[in-house]
Amino acid sequence: MEKVNPLAVKKQYAVLGMGRFGSSVAQSLSKMGFEVLAIDESEQRIQEVANMVTHAVSADTTDEEALKALGIRNFDVVVVSIGQDIQASILTTLILKDLGVPMIVTKAVNELHGKVLSKIGADKVVFPERDMGTRVAHNLIAPNILDYIELSDNHSIVEVRASRGMVGQNLIELDIRARFGCNIMAIKNNGHINISPLADYRLQEDDILVIVGQNDNLNKLELAFQES
């Protein structure tokens, strides 16, 4: 009997709620080659994404029988991206948990909503509005900061575009670790990634530094870039 490579079996995703966040997740997964089922109560929203996903269905996600009929329990990951209707978000998550969906990812509109979703069984809770607000705020502080990803309450990763004053310096001269207590994990340039760059590497134009550290230290680094 021929063995099936488990890596060759792609996960199947269902995304419930086709607002801006949900449709973005569904389309991104579809572009990466995954099978995606999009569900929304609005026929208009379903028509808007129908050509971008594998299947698109208009249905009430709080109707357990409707979700059963769609075979929702057969999907590896279900993303609940219901907008401001917190009651529908919670009820949908409860139904999915009861049906035995292996991985439930839910969008929360605030901290309290997120706590409730976690308590009733959501495997992962995301805060798209809050997280985007965090990234925008850091970019406003220092325009060289391209991205900001929280790893925990105390640690984050930032992507920093090399300024004109940094170009030509090597990592020893830049001395990020001694000055700010942060570590350069990688350097990206035009799609190429240099993992754990050597200390004598000289920064080039368009280099992007991927830096990890404690949030307080990263804030000091950002302010230094703001002032430079």
Side-chain angles (χ1 to χ4, degrees):
M1 183 180 292
E2 184 180 352
K3 291 184 178 180
V4 177
N5 180 0
L7 296 177
V9 180
K10 290 188 175 180
K11 287 185 177 181
Q12 293 183 313
Y13 294 83
V15 183
L16 283 50
M18 288 295 106
R20 283 181 298 178
F21 176 71
S23 61
S24 176
V25 171
Q27 292 175 44
S28 296
L29 288 169
S30 187
K31 285 178 181 177
M32 288 186 276
F34 293 99
E35 288 192 21
V36 180
L37 168 65
I39 304 175
D40 195 284
E41 203 165 10
S42 166
E43 186 66 43
Q44 180 182 342
R45 284 182 173 175
I46 286 301
Q47 288 176 2
E48 289 171 357
V49 300
N51 295 328
M52 304 172 191
V53 296
T54 315
H55 303 288
V57 179
S58 175
D60 178 2
T61 63
T62 63
D63 183 339
E64 184 172 352
E65 294 305 316
L67 292 180
K68 281 183 181 178
L70 291 169
I72 202 74
R73 69 180 71 188
N74 298 321
F75 285 82
D76 299 291
V77 182
V78 178
V79 180
V80 181
S81 175
I82 297 171
Q84 296 299 316
D85 191 342
I86 292 178
Q87 183 174 325
S89 166
I90 292 170
L91 182 54
T92 298
T93 303
L94 279 169
I95 292 170
L96 295 173
K97 191 68 179 178
D98 191 51
L99 291 176
V101 171
M103 179 73 175
I104 304 169
V105 180
T106 55
K107 168 190 169 182
V109 297
N110 55 47
E111 294 291 340
L112 182 58
H113 183 202
K115 285 181 181 178
V116 173
L117 292 170
S118 294
K119 284 185 180 295
I120 63 174
D123 298 288
K124 182 177 178 61
V125 178
V126 295
F127 298 82
E129 285 85 1
R130 183 199 67 184
D131 294 344
M132 183 55 68
T134 299
R135 293 182 182 187
V136 169
H138 283 280
N139 183 257
L140 290 173
I141 292 170
N144 280 3
I145 303 294
L146 303 178
D147 204 353
Y148 190 99
I149 303 166
E150 291 186 350
L151 298 176
S152 69
D153 289 340
N154 298 316
H155 292 82
S156 299
I157 295 175
V158 295
E159 290 190 355
V160 182
R161 177 182 283 117
S163 64
R164 280 182 292 180
M166 295 164 62
V167 172
Q169 291 191 64
N170 64 31
L171 299 186
I172 296 174
E173 293 164 341
L174 197 60
D175 213 8
I176 291 286
R177 180 182 292 182
R179 292 170 62 195
F180 305 106
C182 302
N183 291 302
I184 298 174
M185 299 170 57
I187 296 177
K188 302 195 294 187
N189 189 306
N190 294 323
H192 299 288
I193 302 180
N194 180 357
I195 303 293
S196 299
L198 297 175
D200 61 357
Y201 175 87
R202 291 197 177 276
L203 293 176
Q204 305 171 34
E205 195 172 351
D206 297 326
D207 273 352
I208 296 171
L209 288 70
V210 182
I211 302 172
V212 64
Q214 291 186 349
N215 292 340
D216 288 345
N217 292 335
L218 288 170
N219 289 340
K220 293 175 186 175
L221 180 146
E222 290 179 49
L223 291 172
F225 281 123
Q226 177 196 31
E227 292 161 3
S228 62

